[in-house]
Structure formats: structure tokens, C-alpha cells
Amino acid sequence: MAEAGSFADRVKQQADIVRVIGEYVQLKKAGQNFRGLCPFHSEKSPSFNVHPLRQIYHCFGCNVGGDVFKFVMEMEKCGFPEAIRIVAEKCGIAVPAPRERSPEERRENQQRTLLVEIHRAAQTFFTKHLENTSEGKVARAYLEDRGIAKDVIEQFGIGYAPSGGDTLLRILKTKYPDKLLVESGLISRDQGGGRLFDRFRRRITFPIANESGKIVAFGCRALGDDQPKYLNSPETPIYSKSNVLYHLDRAKEALRRSDFAVLVEGYMDAIAVARAGISNVVASCGTSLAEPQIKLLSRFTRRVIVNYDPDNAGQTATERSISLLLEQDFEVRVLALPGKADPDKFIREQGKDAYLKVLKESPPYVDYLIARARRMDLTTGEGKRNAVNFLLPYVQKIPNRLLRSEWATRIAQQLRLDEPVLRAELSKAAAERRSEVKVKAELIGRSSATPAERRLIRMLVEGEGFRHELAQRIDHDQLHIGLETEKILAALIAASATAEPIQATEVAANLDDRDRRVLFEILFEDPSELTWEQAESCLEALQQRRAERELAEVQRSIEANPVGPDLRTLLERKQQLMKRMAVSRQQSA
Ligand SMILES: [Zn+2]
């Protein structure tokens, strides 16, 4: 990726991977490496490693790895050019004028820039309409009625989309082509004639910003009884619903500081909660929380209080969210507001102190679930079984055994179940879960590359002075053929053709996922002195292995055709091989 002499290459040479990654992950020195909790999967003990000399990172848990650019691309969800720019900026390297991009890239970039610009224009349009028009006056009265005063309107950029049908269109049309306007999602095209019109009409508008605070969509609430009550921007090149959390751009600092998030359903709720002084609130904007949203949130905190609407949809959403959050190792509490109120309504009616109080008291998710189960019909055996089946999947996800056991007791008490029976069910379920986990671990299991292969790979990367000769020897005798690490060794032999130092990440770029992982695993092994003597003994080990394989083949041929014309030759070869192996066994003994 980073061509020698290119700007990318220069940045890579100068960038300190430990410092760059250290801005995202807390790293501690561990031997020659640095170690921390992996930002790409959830874990409790660190398996994410950064190698300062080789300038690579690798996670032994989820097997991600690469160089500093790859890391930034993954973290920032950006492309290669953007990653170079970010790394350069972090390391104080002056960025030259942007290089010529491919026409495709340039077009997409331009389109995104314009779409953001259109949203900015729309935002100005909506806020002005709320402020200055007679229609807007009605909307303001409605907002005021819901406790949203002028300062809140300004703070959250609330606006109004007029009923005209093409008021926004007429303004945008003077600057942007129709096609782009439709792509923005703010303008719709009617199905028959292709006539354009405003998507949002007679609605209160809430700007939805991405993590960096750029408006990328709008959420809109009907002013009257128009259906649907809530209408949001569709998916566009700059907006994907499952990747955005409403209010995250303003909540970031508070999330880090307080180390927990309040998760609500809609923007009205988020605004109400933020107004109550809890700025670490985010809204999923829709009833279902998506996995990318959880990943996004996990960069700031792993503790969440779910405070969804108490209606049926909200309850289902709460349960689904609990599952997803537990899978990502979140600590989850659930706030079910009394009186079936949503956060907005509750705060309006009871005040913010009352909300703060119930928020503080919100129970761990298991309590919430037990309460739900208790509302099921527990008078029959079947009803009880349903209740247990409802609870089991969640209890199973409690990682701590003692805690799980404690919950089992509580569930048994609260649902009036026979505790030993419940425990038996639980451990059965737990065993099933363990076997699942085991299978998965085997699937991605460690490589079975031999110590000799491992050492040779390290020497091919690092063996200053003899790297080249070693590669030639392996290549000449084709010692790597048939080994588990064949492709890795082949890639390293190819890379050794020049005198340039080997860039592990560039070699890795030509390997498939599994081989790349094996290579990185090996490169992170403890360093030991690399000498030519060692290299020779590794080569010998490979020769030996090859002899063993050949011997097995010869033996098979002999057995397959014991009276064939080649028998004499085969037997001779067998003798040779056995002698050779005996000699090398003596040498190594
Ligand atoms: Zn990981």
C-alpha cells in the first residue's frame, strides 16, 4: 500500500504506531510489545498487541491486525487516503496538497461534500421557518406546550418544514441538480410523472448529526395528526441509520466522564433527558438498536441504562437491545418508568429530580426481566416453562459464575420454581454454550506450524545479513512446499529478492486471512537471538520432514504394488531415506 518514497511511506516511517494507537486504546508495555484491550472486539483481559519495532498491531482474540493506516481506517471507518492524512496530522507531518484521486473517488467525495452542504442549507431553511413564519408560530406554540422553550430550540437546532410542498425544493433547485436533491433524501420524486416535492411537510425538524457533528439527516415529527407521526431521512450516501446515534456528537465528553450512557428511543426523549442535566444520553432513533450503533457507543462506555418507551414495541426493543448489549459485554440496567411514561413525558410531568432519582435506582437487567416473567401466567407447568425459557438466554450471558448462581436463586424464588430443577436447566444451557464457544475457538485455532517453520519465518523477516541466503536455500530445495506455512514462506522468499528490509504488512497484504494471522502471531512471539547456526538447524528440520513425507509415499507405493517393476528402485530409495533420517536424528540428539 505505502509505495516506497510516497507520502504514505514517509508518514509510515515517521509515525509512531504506539503513540497513534495509544490515542484510541490504553496501552501498557509488556516485554518488547505494548498491550491493551482490543477496540475491535470486547474482552476483559488484553489480547491486543502493538509491536513498536515492526510497527504493526495484532489481536490474538479476534485476529485483526495490520499497520498504522489499517488501524486508523478501521477505527475511523475511513479510506486509505483519509487514514494517511489523519496519521500525518497526529504526528505533526505536513500534508501536501491532495493527490489526484481516481475519477470515481473524486466524484463520490464531491457528492458527499455537496450532500452535507445541502443539509446545512436545509437546516438554515427549517430554523428560519420556525422562527419567522406564521406556520412556524403554530409549531412554536406546540413545542412550548411540550416544554421546549426558545433556548432549547436553538440548542438542538429544531426547525420547521412548511406545508407548501415545494418551498425547500425551490430554494435548493437554484443551486443543485435534481438528481442530487433526490439523493439527499430531502426531496422526493413522485412515482408517476417524476415531479419533485419536499419530503418533509408540516413537520417539526430535528437535525441528526454524525459523530463529528455534521448534519447528515433529519428526524421529523408531524405537527398535526398527519401520518406517520415520525418521518426520518432515508438511507443516503452520507446517512445510514444503523451507524448513527442521535446526540452522540454532543454526548461524547459526558459519556467518557461519567462512563455510562442513557439509551432512549427518540430525539424528543434524548432532548428531554439532556435538558434534565444528563448530557450522556443517546437515542437509537427507531425502536431497534443496531449492532454498529453498539460498537460506536462502546468506544465511549460499556455501561448503559436502557430507557425505552413502555409500550409493547418498546418492551420488545428493550429485550432485543439487552441481548445485543450483553453480547458486546455491556453492563446493562433498565429503567422502566412508572405510569407507562416515556422519558419525555415523565420529565415533563414529574420534573427532572424525579427522573434523576428513578434513573439512579434503575435495576440491573435481570431484575427487569424477572419482573417481566412474573407477569406471565405462572399457574401452570407450561407457563412456568415459558417464563424460564424467556429468562434463560439472558442468564446464560452473565459471564460471572457466582453472579449467575445468585440470579438462579432469585429467579427460583421470584417465580416460585424448584431451584434444583432450574439450576439443572441452567447448567445444561451453560454446557451447550460452552461447547459452542469451544467449536468456535477450534475453528480459528492456533496454527500448527512447527517451531522450525516459525523460526524460519522470523528469520526471513529479521535475519539481518543472512535473510537473502536463507530465502535462496529454501527456494532452491523447495523446502516450503507442502508445509502449512507454504504460502507465507513463498511470500517471504519473493520479498527477499531485493535488499530492502521486509515490510511485514506488505507481505501480509498478499496473504489470505488465516495466513496473515499466522504470520502476525509468529512475529509477535518472544524474540530470541537469530543466528545462521539456528537457520541451518531449521533447514535441516525441514529436510527431515520432507524425507519423512517422501518415505511415507515410497512405503505406500511399495505396498500398493509389491511386485511392480519399480520395486527395486523404491526399496533403494527407502534405504537411502531411512539412512538419512537416522543420521540427522543422531546429529540432533
Ligand atoms: Zn480483538
Side-chain angles (χ1 to χ4, degrees), residues 37-43 47-48 58-64:
L37 291 174
C38 179
F40 303 110
H41 84 282
S42 52
E43 59 176 8
S47 48
F48 178 84
H58 179 64
C59 172
F60 288 87
C62 67
N63 298 313
V64 297

Side-chain angles (χ1 to χ4, degrees), residues 443-456:
L443 269 178
I444 58 161
R446 280 181 76 87
S447 134
S448 56
T450 60
E453 289 172 68
R454 290 170 172 268
R455 210 168 297 156
L456 282 174

Side-chain angles (χ1 to χ4, degrees), residues 24-285:
Y24 300 86
V25 180
Q26 211 179 343
L27 293 171
K28 282 208 183 83
K29 193 142 175 50
Q32 61 166 357
N33 303 330
F34 286 81
R35 197 171 291 159
L37 291 174
C38 179
F40 303 110
H41 84 282
S42 52
E43 59 176 8
K44 296 215 166 60
S45 55
S47 48
F48 178 84
N49 288 266
V50 181
H51 201 304
L53 292 177
R54 295 197 194 91
Q55 293 282 305
I56 53 175
Y57 69 95
H58 179 64
C59 172
F60 288 87
C62 67
N63 298 313
V64 297
D67 61 8
V68 67
F69 299 135
K70 173 94 183 296
F71 180 85
V72 170
M73 282 161 74
E74 299 276 318
M75 271 325 266
E76 302 286 351
K77 300 275 167 268
C78 65
F80 186 55
E82 178 70 2
I84 300 172
R85 198 187 55 74
I86 293 172
V87 174
E89 270 173 13
K90 283 189 194 301
C91 301
I93 303 165
V95 182
R99 75 182 169 88
E100 276 303 291
R101 297 196 178 91
S102 75
E104 177 70 1
E105 245 180 311
R106 211 163 41 215
R107 202 192 63 80
E108 276 173 17
N109 257 334
Q110 243 164 21
Q111 189 202 32
R112 272 197 292 271
T113 312
L114 288 174
L115 288 175
V116 170
E117 205 179 286
I118 290 174
H119 277 77
R120 214 181 301 133
Q123 171 65 2
T124 311
F125 170 85
F126 292 145
T127 50
K128 276 204 178 127
H129 262 265
L130 183 66
E131 217 175 317
N132 301 328
T133 62
S134 51
E135 250 190 90
K137 204 172 160 193
V138 181
R140 262 177 295 152
Y142 167 85
L143 286 168
E144 226 159 272
D145 191 46
R146 300 203 47 158
I148 297 181
K150 197 168 189 293
D151 61 321
V152 188
I153 290 174
E154 270 167 26
Q155 190 188 344
F156 293 93
I158 300 170
Y160 179 70
S163 53
D166 63 353
T167 330
L168 176 62
L169 172 67
R170 270 182 284 144
I171 289 174
L172 294 177
K173 227 176 140 57
T174 59
K175 269 189 87 178
Y176 306 99
D178 289 1
K179 191 166 169 283
L180 193 66
L181 293 180
V182 173
E183 268 168 8
S184 78
L186 298 172
I187 303 297
S188 303
R189 192 189 287 279
D190 94 27
Q191 289 185 334
R195 190 182 60 90
L196 300 182
F197 59 94
D198 294 356
R199 177 183 176 87
F200 303 121
R201 302 175 303 280
R202 208 158 94 92
R203 281 172 184 275
I204 294 174
T205 62
F206 299 83
I208 297 172
N210 63 13
E211 193 201 324
S212 51
K214 281 193 184 120
I215 298 173
V216 291
F218 287 93
C220 301
R221 192 198 186 287
L223 190 57
D225 292 328
D226 294 359
Q227 289 299 327
K229 193 162 147 195
Y230 293 100
L231 182 64
N232 294 348
S233 289
E235 303 271 310
T236 69
I238 56 170
Y239 175 61
S240 159
K241 196 175 145 202
S242 53
N243 281 313
V244 173
L245 283 165
Y246 178 74
H247 198 254
L248 179 66
D249 57 317
R250 296 157 184 268
K252 281 199 244 176
E253 276 318 299
L255 286 172
R256 285 216 174 92
R257 216 175 31 242
S258 62
D259 192 18
F260 81 93
V262 178
L263 176 69
V264 296
E265 249 179 66
Y267 23 83
M268 291 288 260
D269 295 322
I271 290 173
V273 174
R275 288 281 297 152
I278 300 144
S279 39
N280 44 317
V281 60
V282 292
S284 51
C285 268

Side-chain angles (χ1 to χ4, degrees), residues 272-334:
V273 174
R275 288 281 297 152
I278 300 144
S279 39
N280 44 317
V281 60
V282 292
S284 51
C285 268
T287 43
S288 60
L289 184 66
E291 203 182 300
Q293 290 176 315
I294 298 175
K295 290 245 162 91
L296 184 59
L297 187 59
S298 74
R299 280 173 39 204
F300 303 94
T301 181
R302 281 190 191 276
R303 293 164 65 207
V304 165
I305 300 178
V306 181
N307 185 192
Y308 277 178
D309 292 359
D311 57 10
N312 278 335
Q315 279 183 359
T316 313
T318 302
E319 281 147 29
R320 230 183 73 85
S321 304
I322 292 174
S323 269
L324 285 170
L325 287 162
L326 290 177
E327 268 160 31
Q328 302 292 326
D329 264 332
F330 270 75
E331 191 187 308
V332 187
R333 293 198 279 155
V334 180

